[in-house]
Amino acid sequence: MCGINGIIDYHKRYSMEERNKLVHQMNEKIIYRGPNMEGLFDNEHVTMGMRRLSIIDLSTGRQPIYNEDKTLAIVFNGEIYNFKRLREELIQKGHQFYTSADTEVIVHAYEEFGNQAFDRLDGMFSFAIFDSRQNKVVIARDRMGEKPLYFYYNEDYFVFGSELKSLLSTGIVPKVIDKKALNQYLQLTYIPAPLTIFEHVKKVKPAHYMEISLDGTVTEHNYWNYPKTKFSEKDLSYQEAKNKLYTLLEQSVKDRMVSDVPLGAFLSGGIDSSIIVGLMSKLSEQPVETFTIGFDEKEYDERDRAKMVADLNKTNHHAKVLDYKDALSLINHILMKMDEPFADSSVLPSYFVSEFAGEHVKVVLTGDAGDEMFMGYSKYLIDYYSRKYKKVPKFLRKGIIEPVVYHLPDNRAITRKIRKVIDNAEKDLFEQRKALMSLGFKEQERKQLLQDSYYDETCMEFLKDIYEENSQDDEVSKTQKLDARVVLEGDMFTKVDRMSMLNSIETRTPLVSRDIVEFAMQLPSSYKIKEKNLKRILKDAFVDILPENFDKYPKSGFAVPLDYWFRNELKEELTNLLNEEVIKNQGIFDYEYIHTIIEEHLSGRKNRKSELWTLYVFEKWYQHVME
């Protein structure tokens, strides 16, 4: 696990020494991603650098790594889980290896198969290969977007790196806010690929690679797509599907347990991480190291659920209570490491569980992506509840239920859930899905919030494009692919990558192996969700390794008490960040609208924690990066 950086200097504007110094500077910005060593490759046009966190082949895995005649050189961030099988295949074809690292397998696979090699890799990665035979650099990102890769180019340079801060450190990249990206952030609370908060900087899209010729030609290519065919219930019975899923996930966990350093697992108390821990315990000769963060507030605490799983599997369990004062003291440190505005507040406990695990191990397996692969979010029930609600006579809905519900304060979770059903009941299915993906400002609110010059009416159209990409799919499958393409890459994997790397540990996600992703996407929708039964096949396939009646225990998720903070500990900072002078000088937002939502929240009339956190995070970012 590492971080990579590089500069391609088409016209040799820099001397090699100057360019190497810049790339070294880029590496220093992300030293926590790879505290063990630095590597550099250079020639007259190209410098590629990396920082290494040693996980596999501790003695000979130093990068850059070359092929036999050194016509190819690679810097690599990530892990390739099927590298041993690929290595044997390549040896049979005559390739000679000088390390036992997965990095070298990529070089020889590229030498043998060209760009088709990328589709053969099962893993998480971003890498850059200099190909001296064709005078080009190839950069690529893994199929699900677990590992980040940013780039910027103009007529003189192509600059790339694992994190945005490295690109900015060169002084080459202009800092101009991308209005479409800003609008996406305000509505989604994050910015999915390919956009970034800066107009001229982009993210490589998942399952894509780019070729950069030394003459300045840049092309982008897609190397993998979700399968278009689906199993029917006649092709694959439910029992056969359960058995197949068990086999695939067990193999995925086994592949991801390969490590030359101590290894453990995050155990949140949810079904997904509990299944991963159960399989790890089955495969391990030693007790698995498991890590849980708990909270004094009972509504956010899941230590009891996690302990049930730990006891069942006889793990070496570590639990720690997160004091929210600790979280408050580190908000600046955590948010600024994200580089872009990122308003998923679970980034805070994600940092602390990574820090806690890092005191004991260097690699952890996670249960991330189970909800996206097997339909686990409660938002997937919106159509079910909407249909139920619309069966209530209209005079009752409009005359009694809705006036009562909207009169109640929305400081209780149940009230907010009922409002979501009411708000979305009359919308078509796509509009329902888009509304529930919008965790910040609703579409109309975004229009009120932004000055006309910053408002982008079309910023969310990309969601419809993805949703309708496979028009033959049923609605559940369209929704699943939408979340896998947007939420996983833009939110979940971004959060986990940054927080784990900030603590110099590596996270691995068994539920997004290539085999499992393709299998999940081909399953009949009824196998994944049936009426109110979410993640049906995942729970049924692994019922024997979960505690009895485990699904009956409530799950709360990684929540933090933002509503309370904004009325107490963060009130002064919030009002300072969003004061009239600051907002009007900035020229991006409408101050009167911001003033209204602050007053609504502080008075208790409305819970505006999500909108205020989205603004709070943006203003802190703006202050830190733009000013």
Side-chain angles (χ1 to χ4, degrees), residues 143-190:
R143 59 176 49 82
M144 300 304 291
E146 289 185 79
K147 291 289 110 181
L149 188 54
Y150 293 82
F151 67 93
Y152 162 80
Y153 65 95
N154 60 23
E155 66 278 5
D156 292 319
Y157 312 105
F158 188 101
V159 187
F160 65 87
S162 292
E163 295 192 18
L164 185 52
K165 61 174 65 67
S166 292
L167 276 68
L168 295 179
S169 74
T170 64
I172 295 171
V173 179
K175 294 194 290 188
V176 179
I177 288 179
D178 186 304
K179 294 174 185 177
K180 190 178 290 291
L182 172 62
N183 279 257
Q184 288 179 8
Y185 163 74
L186 292 169
Q187 194 156 338
L188 294 171
T189 70
Y190 54 90

Short mmCIF file of all heavy atoms in Angstrom, two decimals, residues 143-190:
data_model
loop_
_atom_site.label_atom_id
_atom_site.label_comp_id
_atom_site.label_asym_id
_atom_site.label_seq_id
_atom_site.Cartn_x
_atom_site.Cartn_y
_atom_site.Cartn_z
N ARG A 143 -11.29 -1.37 -10.72
CA ARG A 143 -12.63 -1.38 -11.33
C ARG A 143 -13.70 -0.75 -10.46
O ARG A 143 -14.70 -0.25 -10.97
CB ARG A 143 -13.03 -2.80 -11.75
CG ARG A 143 -13.08 -3.83 -10.68
CD ARG A 143 -13.58 -5.18 -11.21
NE ARG A 143 -12.94 -5.63 -12.43
CZ ARG A 143 -11.76 -6.25 -12.49
NH1 ARG A 143 -11.09 -6.48 -11.37
NH2 ARG A 143 -11.26 -6.63 -13.62
N MET A 144 -13.55 -0.75 -9.14
CA MET A 144 -14.58 -0.18 -8.26
C MET A 144 -14.21 1.18 -7.69
O MET A 144 -15.04 1.82 -7.05
CB MET A 144 -14.88 -1.16 -7.12
CG MET A 144 -15.38 -2.53 -7.56
SD MET A 144 -16.85 -2.46 -8.61
CE MET A 144 -18.06 -1.92 -7.43
N GLY A 145 -12.96 1.62 -7.89
CA GLY A 145 -12.55 2.93 -7.38
C GLY A 145 -12.13 2.92 -5.93
O GLY A 145 -12.28 3.93 -5.24
N GLU A 146 -11.57 1.80 -5.46
CA GLU A 146 -11.10 1.75 -4.07
C GLU A 146 -9.91 2.68 -3.85
O GLU A 146 -9.79 3.30 -2.80
CB GLU A 146 -10.70 0.32 -3.70
CG GLU A 146 -11.86 -0.64 -3.56
CD GLU A 146 -11.39 -2.00 -3.06
OE1 GLU A 146 -11.15 -2.13 -1.84
OE2 GLU A 146 -11.28 -2.91 -3.89
N LYS A 147 -9.01 2.74 -4.81
CA LYS A 147 -7.82 3.58 -4.68
C LYS A 147 -7.97 4.83 -5.54
O LYS A 147 -8.44 4.77 -6.68
CB LYS A 147 -6.57 2.80 -5.09
CG LYS A 147 -6.20 1.68 -4.14
CD LYS A 147 -5.67 2.20 -2.82
CE LYS A 147 -6.61 1.96 -1.68
NZ LYS A 147 -6.14 2.47 -0.39
N PRO A 148 -7.57 5.98 -5.03
CA PRO A 148 -7.77 7.25 -5.75
C PRO A 148 -6.66 7.52 -6.77
O PRO A 148 -5.53 7.02 -6.64
CB PRO A 148 -7.71 8.28 -4.63
CG PRO A 148 -6.77 7.67 -3.62
CD PRO A 148 -7.00 6.19 -3.69
N LEU A 149 -6.98 8.31 -7.79
CA LEU A 149 -5.97 8.74 -8.75
C LEU A 149 -6.44 10.04 -9.42
O LEU A 149 -7.44 10.05 -10.14
CB LEU A 149 -5.71 7.67 -9.80
CG LEU A 149 -4.54 7.90 -10.77
CD1 LEU A 149 -3.24 8.18 -10.01
CD2 LEU A 149 -4.37 6.73 -11.72
N TYR A 150 -5.73 11.14 -9.15
CA TYR A 150 -6.05 12.46 -9.67
C TYR A 150 -5.09 12.81 -10.82
O TYR A 150 -3.95 12.32 -10.84
CB TYR A 150 -5.87 13.53 -8.59
CG TYR A 150 -6.84 13.45 -7.43
CD1 TYR A 150 -6.65 12.56 -6.38
CD2 TYR A 150 -7.95 14.30 -7.40
CE1 TYR A 150 -7.55 12.50 -5.32
CE2 TYR A 150 -8.84 14.25 -6.34
CZ TYR A 150 -8.64 13.35 -5.30
OH TYR A 150 -9.53 13.31 -4.26
N PHE A 151 -5.56 13.68 -11.73
CA PHE A 151 -4.65 14.13 -12.78
C PHE A 151 -5.02 15.54 -13.25
O PHE A 151 -6.16 15.99 -13.11
CB PHE A 151 -4.64 13.16 -13.97
CG PHE A 151 -5.93 13.11 -14.75
CD1 PHE A 151 -6.14 13.91 -15.87
CD2 PHE A 151 -6.95 12.24 -14.38
CE1 PHE A 151 -7.33 13.87 -16.59
CE2 PHE A 151 -8.14 12.18 -15.09
CZ PHE A 151 -8.34 13.00 -16.20
N TYR A 152 -4.02 16.20 -13.80
CA TYR A 152 -4.19 17.54 -14.42
C TYR A 152 -3.23 17.59 -15.60
O TYR A 152 -2.11 17.07 -15.53
CB TYR A 152 -3.82 18.64 -13.42
CG TYR A 152 -3.55 19.98 -14.08
CD1 TYR A 152 -4.60 20.81 -14.46
CD2 TYR A 152 -2.25 20.39 -14.37
CE1 TYR A 152 -4.36 22.03 -15.10
CE2 TYR A 152 -2.00 21.60 -15.00
CZ TYR A 152 -3.06 22.41 -15.36
OH TYR A 152 -2.82 23.61 -16.00
N TYR A 153 -3.68 18.21 -16.70
CA TYR A 153 -2.73 18.40 -17.79
C TYR A 153 -3.02 19.68 -18.58
O TYR A 153 -4.14 20.17 -18.60
CB TYR A 153 -2.66 17.19 -18.72
CG TYR A 153 -3.91 16.86 -19.51
CD1 TYR A 153 -4.08 17.33 -20.81
CD2 TYR A 153 -4.90 16.03 -18.97
CE1 TYR A 153 -5.20 17.01 -21.56
CE2 TYR A 153 -6.03 15.69 -19.71
CZ TYR A 153 -6.17 16.18 -21.00
OH TYR A 153 -7.29 15.85 -21.74
N ASN A 154 -1.95 20.18 -19.18
CA ASN A 154 -2.03 21.32 -20.09
C ASN A 154 -1.08 21.05 -21.25
O ASN A 154 -0.66 19.90 -21.45
CB ASN A 154 -1.72 22.63 -19.35
CG ASN A 154 -0.33 22.65 -18.73
OD1 ASN A 154 0.57 21.91 -19.15
ND2 ASN A 154 -0.14 23.47 -17.71
N GLU A 155 -0.74 22.09 -22.02
CA GLU A 155 0.11 21.87 -23.19
C GLU A 155 1.56 21.52 -22.83
O GLU A 155 2.32 21.07 -23.69
CB GLU A 155 0.09 23.11 -24.11
CG GLU A 155 0.72 24.37 -23.55
CD GLU A 155 -0.23 25.15 -22.63
OE1 GLU A 155 -1.35 24.66 -22.36
OE2 GLU A 155 0.17 26.24 -22.19
N ASP A 156 1.94 21.71 -21.57
CA ASP A 156 3.32 21.45 -21.16
C ASP A 156 3.50 20.21 -20.28
O ASP A 156 4.54 19.54 -20.36
CB ASP A 156 3.87 22.66 -20.38
CG ASP A 156 4.05 23.88 -21.26
OD1 ASP A 156 4.51 23.71 -22.41
OD2 ASP A 156 3.72 25.00 -20.81
N TYR A 157 2.51 19.94 -19.44
CA TYR A 157 2.70 18.91 -18.41
C TYR A 157 1.46 18.03 -18.26
O TYR A 157 0.33 18.47 -18.49
CB TYR A 157 2.97 19.54 -17.04
CG TYR A 157 4.00 20.63 -17.02
CD1 TYR A 157 3.62 21.97 -16.90
CD2 TYR A 157 5.35 20.33 -17.13
CE1 TYR A 157 4.56 22.98 -16.88
CE2 TYR A 157 6.31 21.34 -17.11
CZ TYR A 157 5.90 22.66 -16.99
OH TYR A 157 6.84 23.66 -16.98
N PHE A 158 1.71 16.81 -17.83
CA PHE A 158 0.67 15.94 -17.29
C PHE A 158 1.13 15.58 -15.87
O PHE A 158 2.22 15.05 -15.69
CB PHE A 158 0.52 14.67 -18.13
CG PHE A 158 -0.67 13.82 -17.74
CD1 PHE A 158 -1.84 13.86 -18.47
CD2 PHE A 158 -0.62 12.97 -16.64
CE1 PHE A 158 -2.94 13.07 -18.13
CE2 PHE A 158 -1.70 12.19 -16.27
CZ PHE A 158 -2.87 12.24 -17.02
N VAL A 159 0.29 15.90 -14.89
CA VAL A 159 0.64 15.68 -13.48
C VAL A 159 -0.39 14.73 -12.88
O VAL A 159 -1.59 14.90 -13.10
CB VAL A 159 0.63 17.02 -12.70
CG1 VAL A 159 1.16 16.80 -11.28
CG2 VAL A 159 1.44 18.07 -13.41
N PHE A 160 0.06 13.73 -12.14
CA PHE A 160 -0.88 12.79 -11.52
C PHE A 160 -0.44 12.46 -10.10
O PHE A 160 0.73 12.65 -9.73
CB PHE A 160 -1.00 11.50 -12.36
CG PHE A 160 0.27 10.69 -12.44
CD1 PHE A 160 0.59 9.73 -11.48
CD2 PHE A 160 1.17 10.88 -13.49
CE1 PHE A 160 1.75 8.98 -11.55
CE2 PHE A 160 2.34 10.14 -13.58
CZ PHE A 160 2.64 9.19 -12.60
N GLY A 161 -1.39 11.97 -9.30
CA GLY A 161 -1.05 11.60 -7.93
C GLY A 161 -2.21 10.97 -7.20
O GLY A 161 -3.37 11.07 -7.62
N SER A 162 -1.89 10.32 -6.10
CA SER A 162 -2.90 9.64 -5.28
C SER A 162 -3.79 10.61 -4.53
O SER A 162 -4.93 10.26 -4.19
CB SER A 162 -2.22 8.71 -4.27
OG SER A 162 -1.61 7.63 -4.91
N GLU A 163 -3.28 11.81 -4.25
CA GLU A 163 -4.09 12.78 -3.52
C GLU A 163 -3.93 14.16 -4.16
O GLU A 163 -2.88 14.50 -4.71
CB GLU A 163 -3.71 12.82 -2.04
CG GLU A 163 -4.01 11.50 -1.33
CD GLU A 163 -3.93 11.60 0.18
OE1 GLU A 163 -3.97 12.72 0.72
OE2 GLU A 163 -3.82 10.53 0.83
N LEU A 164 -4.99 14.94 -4.04
CA LEU A 164 -5.03 16.26 -4.65
C LEU A 164 -3.96 17.19 -4.09
O LEU A 164 -3.40 18.02 -4.82
CB LEU A 164 -6.43 16.84 -4.44
CG LEU A 164 -6.78 18.18 -5.08
CD1 LEU A 164 -6.49 18.18 -6.57
CD2 LEU A 164 -8.24 18.51 -4.82
N LYS A 165 -3.66 17.05 -2.80
CA LYS A 165 -2.68 17.95 -2.17
C LYS A 165 -1.32 17.86 -2.85
O LYS A 165 -0.59 18.86 -2.92
CB LYS A 165 -2.56 17.66 -0.67
CG LYS A 165 -2.09 16.26 -0.32
CD LYS A 165 -1.86 16.11 1.18
CE LYS A 165 -3.14 16.24 1.98
NZ LYS A 165 -4.10 15.13 1.74
N SER A 166 -0.97 16.68 -3.35
CA SER A 166 0.32 16.54 -4.04
C SER A 166 0.34 17.35 -5.33
O SER A 166 1.31 18.04 -5.64
CB SER A 166 0.59 15.07 -4.35
OG SER A 166 0.81 14.34 -3.17
N LEU A 167 -0.74 17.30 -6.09
CA LEU A 167 -0.82 18.06 -7.34
C LEU A 167 -0.74 19.55 -7.06
O LEU A 167 -0.04 20.30 -7.74
CB LEU A 167 -2.10 17.73 -8.09
CG LEU A 167 -2.09 16.48 -8.99
CD1 LEU A 167 -1.99 15.20 -8.18
CD2 LEU A 167 -3.32 16.44 -9.88
N LEU A 168 -1.47 20.00 -6.03
CA LEU A 168 -1.47 21.42 -5.70
C LEU A 168 -0.08 21.90 -5.27
O LEU A 168 0.28 23.06 -5.49
CB LEU A 168 -2.49 21.71 -4.60
CG LEU A 168 -3.97 21.47 -4.95
CD1 LEU A 168 -4.84 21.78 -3.74
CD2 LEU A 168 -4.39 22.30 -6.15
N SER A 169 0.69 21.03 -4.64
CA SER A 169 1.99 21.43 -4.11
C SER A 169 2.99 21.80 -5.21
O SER A 169 3.98 22.47 -4.95
CB SER A 169 2.59 20.31 -3.25
OG SER A 169 3.07 19.23 -4.05
N THR A 170 2.73 21.37 -6.45
CA THR A 170 3.67 21.67 -7.53
C THR A 170 3.61 23.12 -7.98
O THR A 170 4.55 23.62 -8.60
CB THR A 170 3.36 20.79 -8.77
OG1 THR A 170 2.06 21.14 -9.28
CG2 THR A 170 3.41 19.31 -8.42
N GLY A 171 2.48 23.80 -7.71
CA GLY A 171 2.30 25.14 -8.23
C GLY A 171 1.89 25.18 -9.69
O GLY A 171 1.66 26.25 -10.27
N ILE A 172 1.77 24.01 -10.32
CA ILE A 172 1.40 23.93 -11.73
C ILE A 172 -0.11 24.02 -11.90
O ILE A 172 -0.61 24.50 -12.91
CB ILE A 172 1.93 22.60 -12.34
CG1 ILE A 172 3.46 22.58 -12.34
CG2 ILE A 172 1.39 22.36 -13.74
CD1 ILE A 172 4.08 21.24 -12.73
N VAL A 173 -0.86 23.56 -10.89
CA VAL A 173 -2.30 23.39 -11.01
C VAL A 173 -3.04 24.65 -10.59
O VAL A 173 -2.88 25.12 -9.45
CB VAL A 173 -2.77 22.19 -10.15
CG1 VAL A 173 -4.28 22.01 -10.24
CG2 VAL A 173 -2.05 20.92 -10.59
N PRO A 174 -3.90 25.22 -11.46
CA PRO A 174 -4.69 26.41 -11.06
C PRO A 174 -5.82 26.02 -10.13
O PRO A 174 -6.44 24.97 -10.29
CB PRO A 174 -5.22 26.94 -12.40
CG PRO A 174 -5.25 25.75 -13.31
CD PRO A 174 -4.11 24.85 -12.87
N LYS A 175 -6.12 26.87 -9.16
CA LYS A 175 -7.18 26.59 -8.18
C LYS A 175 -8.44 27.39 -8.54
O LYS A 175 -8.67 28.47 -8.00
CB LYS A 175 -6.70 26.92 -6.76
CG LYS A 175 -5.58 26.00 -6.29
CD LYS A 175 -5.35 26.09 -4.80
CE LYS A 175 -4.74 27.39 -4.36
NZ LYS A 175 -4.35 27.38 -2.94
N VAL A 176 -9.22 26.84 -9.46
CA VAL A 176 -10.47 27.46 -9.89
C VAL A 176 -11.60 26.50 -9.55
O VAL A 176 -11.59 25.35 -9.98
CB VAL A 176 -10.47 27.75 -11.41
CG1 VAL A 176 -11.80 28.36 -11.83
CG2 VAL A 176 -9.29 28.62 -11.80
N ILE A 177 -12.57 26.95 -8.76
CA ILE A 177 -13.66 26.06 -8.33
C ILE A 177 -14.50 25.63 -9.52
O ILE A 177 -14.90 26.44 -10.35
CB ILE A 177 -14.53 26.74 -7.26
CG1 ILE A 177 -13.76 26.83 -5.94
CG2 ILE A 177 -15.85 26.00 -7.06
CD1 ILE A 177 -14.52 27.51 -4.81
N ASP A 178 -14.74 24.34 -9.60
CA ASP A 178 -15.62 23.77 -10.63
C ASP A 178 -17.06 23.88 -10.15
O ASP A 178 -17.44 23.28 -9.15
CB ASP A 178 -15.24 22.30 -10.88
CG ASP A 178 -16.01 21.69 -12.03
OD1 ASP A 178 -17.25 21.72 -11.99
OD2 ASP A 178 -15.38 21.17 -12.96
N LYS A 179 -17.87 24.67 -10.85
CA LYS A 179 -19.24 24.95 -10.38
C LYS A 179 -20.11 23.70 -10.40
O LYS A 179 -20.94 23.49 -9.50
CB LYS A 179 -19.85 26.06 -11.22
CG LYS A 179 -19.14 27.40 -11.03
CD LYS A 179 -19.66 28.47 -11.97
CE LYS A 179 -18.83 29.75 -11.81
NZ LYS A 179 -19.24 30.81 -12.74
N LYS A 180 -19.96 22.86 -11.39
CA LYS A 180 -20.74 21.62 -11.45
C LYS A 180 -20.37 20.72 -10.26
O LYS A 180 -21.25 20.14 -9.61
CB LYS A 180 -20.50 20.89 -12.77
CG LYS A 180 -21.46 19.72 -13.01
CD LYS A 180 -21.22 19.06 -14.36
CE LYS A 180 -21.63 19.92 -15.51
NZ LYS A 180 -23.10 20.10 -15.61
N ALA A 181 -19.08 20.62 -9.98
CA ALA A 181 -18.63 19.80 -8.84
C ALA A 181 -19.15 20.37 -7.52
O ALA A 181 -19.56 19.62 -6.63
CB ALA A 181 -17.11 19.73 -8.82
N LEU A 182 -19.13 21.69 -7.39
CA LEU A 182 -19.64 22.33 -6.18
C LEU A 182 -21.12 21.99 -5.97
O LEU A 182 -21.55 21.65 -4.87
CB LEU A 182 -19.46 23.84 -6.26
CG LEU A 182 -20.11 24.67 -5.15
CD1 LEU A 182 -19.53 24.32 -3.79
CD2 LEU A 182 -19.97 26.16 -5.44
N ASN A 183 -21.89 22.06 -7.04
CA ASN A 183 -23.32 21.73 -6.95
C ASN A 183 -23.52 20.26 -6.58
O ASN A 183 -24.39 19.94 -5.78
CB ASN A 183 -24.02 22.04 -8.28
CG ASN A 183 -24.38 23.51 -8.44
OD1 ASN A 183 -25.52 23.90 -8.28
ND2 ASN A 183 -23.39 24.35 -8.74
N GLN A 184 -22.73 19.38 -7.15
CA GLN A 184 -22.83 17.96 -6.80
C GLN A 184 -22.50 17.75 -5.32
O GLN A 184 -23.18 16.99 -4.62
CB GLN A 184 -21.90 17.12 -7.68
CG GLN A 184 -22.37 16.99 -9.11
CD GLN A 184 -21.41 16.17 -9.97
OE1 GLN A 184 -20.46 15.57 -9.47
NE2 GLN A 184 -21.67 16.12 -11.27
N TYR A 185 -21.45 18.42 -4.87
CA TYR A 185 -21.08 18.31 -3.46
C TYR A 185 -22.22 18.76 -2.54
O TYR A 185 -22.56 18.08 -1.56
CB TYR A 185 -19.82 19.13 -3.15
CG TYR A 185 -19.63 19.37 -1.68
CD1 TYR A 185 -19.21 18.35 -0.84
CD2 TYR A 185 -19.93 20.62 -1.11
CE1 TYR A 185 -19.08 18.56 0.52
CE2 TYR A 185 -19.80 20.83 0.25
CZ TYR A 185 -19.37 19.79 1.06
OH TYR A 185 -19.26 19.98 2.42
N LEU A 186 -22.81 19.90 -2.83
CA LEU A 186 -23.85 20.44 -1.95
C LEU A 186 -25.06 19.52 -1.87
O LEU A 186 -25.73 19.45 -0.84
CB LEU A 186 -24.28 21.82 -2.44
CG LEU A 186 -23.22 22.92 -2.29
CD1 LEU A 186 -23.64 24.17 -3.04
CD2 LEU A 186 -22.95 23.23 -0.82
N GLN A 187 -25.34 18.78 -2.94
CA GLN A 187 -26.49 17.89 -2.93
C GLN A 187 -26.14 16.49 -2.42
O GLN A 187 -26.86 15.92 -1.61
CB GLN A 187 -27.11 17.80 -4.33
CG GLN A 187 -28.48 17.16 -4.32
CD GLN A 187 -29.33 17.57 -5.51
OE1 GLN A 187 -29.11 18.60 -6.14
NE2 GLN A 187 -30.33 16.76 -5.84
N LEU A 188 -25.00 15.95 -2.88
CA LEU A 188 -24.62 14.58 -2.49
C LEU A 188 -23.81 14.53 -1.19
O LEU A 188 -23.79 13.52 -0.52
CB LEU A 188 -23.81 13.93 -3.62
CG LEU A 188 -24.52 13.67 -4.94
CD1 LEU A 188 -23.51 13.25 -6.00
CD2 LEU A 188 -25.60 12.62 -4.78
N THR A 189 -23.08 15.59 -0.90
CA THR A 189 -22.11 15.75 0.20
C THR A 189 -20.72 15.22 -0.15
O THR A 189 -19.83 15.17 0.70
CB THR A 189 -22.57 15.13 1.55
OG1 THR A 189 -22.56 13.69 1.45
CG2 THR A 189 -23.95 15.61 1.94
N TYR A 190 -20.50 14.85 -1.39
CA TYR A 190 -19.18 14.42 -1.88
C TYR A 190 -19.17 14.65 -3.38
O TYR A 190 -20.20 14.99 -3.98
CB TYR A 190 -18.92 12.94 -1.55
CG TYR A 190 -20.01 12.01 -2.05
CD1 TYR A 190 -19.95 11.44 -3.31
CD2 TYR A 190 -21.11 11.70 -1.24
CE1 TYR A 190 -20.96 10.61 -3.78
CE2 TYR A 190 -22.12 10.87 -1.70
CZ TYR A 190 -22.04 10.34 -2.97
OH TYR A 190 -23.04 9.52 -3.43
#
